[in-house]
């Protein structure tokens, strides 16, 4: 009886702690968003490239940039910058690095960034392989 009461009290305390934590996390997110809005208006390197990415999306309808694009130096530098953002995000996700500017992640996600390009393209390539097999009767796709 006493043990059950202690367990119930502990569960209630844990639930109240979760509610407090959720409120605190929401407050931190709101503060970060406010800071992010201010930061995104400043004229510095990251924002310059972000704006170039916004312009690219408006022109092309996507931000699925190639790995490199040596034919155009401007787009090529944007490819390198975007690749660096994805690498930094992966480091952040794996706990190898922190981020002091989480609003940048949100801004890129609002533009439609695919953080893991290989994973996002896998289903499409799989469907293409099934079509190839249907057409040729095997999956020995030539590499060139």
């Amino acid at each position: 009886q006493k043990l059950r009461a202690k367990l119930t009290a502990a569960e209630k305390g844990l639930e109240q702690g979760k509610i407090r934590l959720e409120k605190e996390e929401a407050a931190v997110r709101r503060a970060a968003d406010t800071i992010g809005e201010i930061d995104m208006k400043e004229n510095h390197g990251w924002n310059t490239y972000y704006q170039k990415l916004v312009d690219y999306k408006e022109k092309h309808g996507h931000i699925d940039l190639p790995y490199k694009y040596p034919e155009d130096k401007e787009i090529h530098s944007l490819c390198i910058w975007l690749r660096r953002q994805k690498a930094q995000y992966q480091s952040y996700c794996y706990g190898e690095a922190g981020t002091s500017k989480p609003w940048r992640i949100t801004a890129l996600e609002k533009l439609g960034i695919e953080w893991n390009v290989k994973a996002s393209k896998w289903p499409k390539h799989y469907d293409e392989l099934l079509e190839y097999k249907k057409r040729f009767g095997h999956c020995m796709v030539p590499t060139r």
Side-chain angles (χ1 to χ4, degrees):
Q1 203 65 317
K2 288 182 181 182
L3 187 57
R4 183 172 300 275
K6 285 183 180 183
L7 181 60
T8 301
E11 287 173 342
K12 186 175 180 180
L14 180 62
E15 189 60 36
Q16 289 172 344
K18 285 181 182 178
I19 291 169
R20 279 194 310 274
L21 180 61
E22 287 172 3
K23 287 180 181 178
E24 289 174 16
E25 286 175 342
V28 168
R29 274 194 301 279
R30 283 192 304 275
D33 287 345
T34 301
I35 293 168
E37 287 174 17
I38 294 167
D39 181 70
M40 293 294 281
K41 292 176 183 172
E42 292 181 11
N43 187 18
H44 55 74
W46 194 92
N47 289 349
T48 302
Y49 275 102
Y50 177 77
Q51 189 56 52
K52 287 178 183 181
L53 189 62
V54 170
D55 296 343
Y56 183 91
K57 182 174 183 175
E58 287 174 2
K59 184 176 181 181
H60 300 281
H62 64 82
I63 59 169
D64 187 20
L65 290 159
Y67 188 77
K68 57 185 175 179
Y69 198 82
E71 297 84 19
D72 183 325
K73 286 185 178 183
E74 192 74 21
I75 294 176
H76 183 70
S77 67
L78 188 58
C79 293
I80 292 169
W81 178 82
L82 190 58
R83 197 166 60 231
R84 190 176 313 121
Q85 302 313 303
K86 291 178 180 184
Q88 289 173 347
Y89 179 77
Q90 294 300 321
S91 294
Y92 169 71
C93 287
Y94 291 122
E96 297 165 359
T99 181
S100 60
K101 299 181 179 182
W103 53 87
R104 291 180 173 180
I105 294 170
T106 304
L108 289 169
E109 287 174 343
K110 285 180 181 177
L111 273 184
I113 192 169
E114 289 284 346
W115 293 114
N116 189 341
V117 176
K118 289 180 183 175
S120 67
K121 290 185 177 181
W122 197 92
K124 176 183 172 251
H125 291 306
Y126 180 72
D127 290 341
E128 289 171 355
L129 179 63
L130 291 178
E131 285 298 316
Y132 184 90
K133 182 177 182 188
K134 195 183 294 181
R135 184 171 174 199
F136 297 102
H138 61 82
C139 294
M140 301 298 288
V141 180
T143 55
R144 296 192 187 215

